[in-house]
Amino acid sequence: MIFVSHVIPVNEPGEPRLDRAAVWEGLVLKANNALPFVPAMSDCEVVERYGDSRFDRDIRIRGDAFRERITLEEPYRVVFTRLSGPILGTIANEIEGEGDDMRLRFSFALVLVGTPGISEAEETYARTMTGDYIKALTATRDAMRRIAVSDAA
């Protein structure tokens, strides 16, 4: 099993300041259409809604197809549960702290279907996946900043 958790500050000197509402709005936008937020993703389509805070989406990352169930836990966390695909598990995007101390944390616990744990294949995939998720975390924050600037204009 691959476990990773990484956190970055939301507000930094010289960058557009985001409040919790703007960060939450960005996470909701990302949950519905991750393409502007996740560089490694090539497809993202909501396929079924179960209410305002739960829905399924089909995505494609690096050529692999997945179905994820999205749960919005307003205003703190979005949980992505992989229902199908070659990598299963859970991903969480969380808002921590407040004001200038607000942080964005991405965490995941994933398994490669048909691959033994603590294997070379799992470790190789974990390195690539970790890099992709750290890029997605930074890209998500940067997209939130672009949205805040365009909304203010």
Side-chain angles (χ1 to χ4, degrees):
M1 182 170 282
I2 303 166
F3 295 101
V4 173
S5 186
H6 193 75
V7 65
I8 61 172
V10 169
N11 293 308
E12 297 175 303
E15 296 293 339
R17 190 172 191 294
L18 301 173
D19 62 14
R20 180 176 286 277
V23 176
W24 178 251
E25 177 185 345
L27 290 181
V28 171
L29 289 171
K30 178 180 174 275
N32 281 279
N33 178 16
L35 296 179
F37 300 90
V38 182
M41 189 177 292
S42 59
D43 296 307
C44 182
E45 179 184 359
V46 173
V47 294
E48 191 163 357
R49 292 198 179 271
Y50 305 103
D52 292 338
S53 63
R54 252 181 19 132
F55 56 92
D56 290 350
R57 70 182 192 182
D58 288 342
I59 63 170
R60 185 170 298 277
I61 298 176
R62 295 189 182 279
D64 291 326
F66 302 91
R67 176 154 293 178
E68 296 179 325
R69 172 138 318 135
I70 313 303
T71 305
L72 305 174
E73 298 177 12
E74 187 175 359
Y76 302 104
R77 179 182 308 111
V78 179
V79 178
F80 306 81
T81 304
R82 291 268 171 92
L83 303 176
S84 66
I87 298 107
L88 301 177
T90 303
I91 301 163
N93 295 181
E94 300 175 275
I95 305 168
E96 300 176 340
E98 296 292 334
D100 290 337
D101 189 41
M102 193 171 10
R103 297 165 308 280
L104 193 55
R105 177 182 299 277
F106 282 16
S107 304
F108 61 84
L110 301 173
V111 295
L112 278 68
V113 175
T115 302
I118 313 175
S119 66
E120 186 174 327
E122 184 182 68
E123 289 178 20
T124 299
Y125 188 83
R127 282 191 298 277
T128 300
M129 168 96 40
T130 299
D132 284 349
Y133 276 85
I134 291 171
K135 287 176 190 170
L137 177 56
T138 303
T140 297
R141 181 194 56 198
D142 293 348
M144 289 173 183
R145 288 175 176 166
R146 285 192 302 276
I147 291 166
V149 168
S150 70
D151 286 353

